[in-house]
Amino acid sequence: MPVFFFLSGYVYARPANLSEHLVKLVAKLVIPYFLFLFAISLPANIATFSNGGWESLYWRLTWLLRGGQNLDGAYTAFWFVPCFFFTSVLFAIVERYLSLAQLTLIALVSMAMATVDQISRFGPLPLAIEIVAMSFPILFFGYWYRRRTLSTEIDRKFHWAVTVFGFG
């Protein structure tokens, strides 16, 4: 998944209209996420209702809506879409208003917080929001990488270091 975030940053282009971009993200990510989540959970929801009634169904739907790291079993991969949505929204907003130096600082602080586990110590947050602390810097690194201005020699050393680190 980190490669996906990196590539998303690499191909990122500032949207002309931020509000239209956010509406498109909701239409492309959030709506299909919930439709698919409820479609594949329908048989289990029916079984939960028939075995435990409305209260059991309520708790199961609450569990599904919280999403993120709370989900397990067949729903484990459902952390990714909300995390990508929140990372994309955050990046689209801050990239528009902050300088590259400020973005770099935010990415470094975010990575440090995620690394020392300052966010997830509160337990899994709804819709995998805590994972944004780690995914934002990866998306930013892809964005920075495409826009970097390195000399050929430094560029070669950089690629060598990334290759060695990636396979190490």
Side-chain angles (χ1 to χ4, degrees):
M1 298 295 182
V3 171
F4 185 82
F5 283 103
F6 177 88
L7 292 175
S8 296
Y10 187 84
V11 299
Y12 177 82
R14 179 183 288 172
N17 185 317
L18 183 60
S19 59
E20 284 180 16
H21 177 67
L22 298 179
V23 169
K24 285 180 185 177
L25 281 175
V26 169
K28 289 179 181 179
L29 295 172
V30 177
I31 293 171
Y33 168 80
F34 283 111
L35 289 175
F36 188 70
L37 178 64
F38 285 110
I40 68 164
S41 66
L42 187 60
N45 291 340
I46 292 170
T48 298
F49 176 72
S50 63
N51 292 330
W54 288 108
E55 186 174 350
S56 294
L57 181 61
Y58 168 79
W59 288 112
R60 177 166 174 75
L61 292 175
T62 301
W63 174 72
L64 286 170
L65 286 173
R66 280 188 50 93
Q69 291 180 330
N70 296 303
L71 299 178
D72 56 10
Y75 309 103
T76 301
F78 276 84
W79 69 269
F80 180 75
V81 173
C83 179
F84 182 67
F85 171 76
F86 289 119
T87 303
S88 298
V89 167
L90 177 64
F91 192 79
I93 293 169
V94 299
E95 186 274 336
R96 181 173 292 272
Y97 299 108
L98 300 179
S99 69
L100 189 60
Q102 292 169 319
L103 279 172
T104 303
L105 180 62
I106 289 173
L108 291 172
V109 168
S110 179
M111 181 73 78
M113 288 175 62
T115 302
V116 296
D117 207 28
Q118 289 300 307
I119 294 174
S120 63
R121 68 185 171 114
F122 300 110
L125 297 174
L127 300 172
I129 293 172
E130 73 277 9
I131 302 172
V132 172
M134 188 59 79
S135 60
F136 180 86
I138 297 169
L139 190 140
F140 168 75
F141 184 61
Y143 171 83
W144 169 84
Y145 186 76
R146 182 172 181 194
R147 288 149 185 86
R148 72 198 187 290
T149 53
L150 301 175
S151 71
T152 305
E153 184 59 30
I154 294 173
D155 210 26
R156 263 188 249 143
K157 289 178 183 176
F158 178 76
H159 285 108
W160 178 251
V162 168
T163 302
V164 168
F165 180 72
F167 290 113

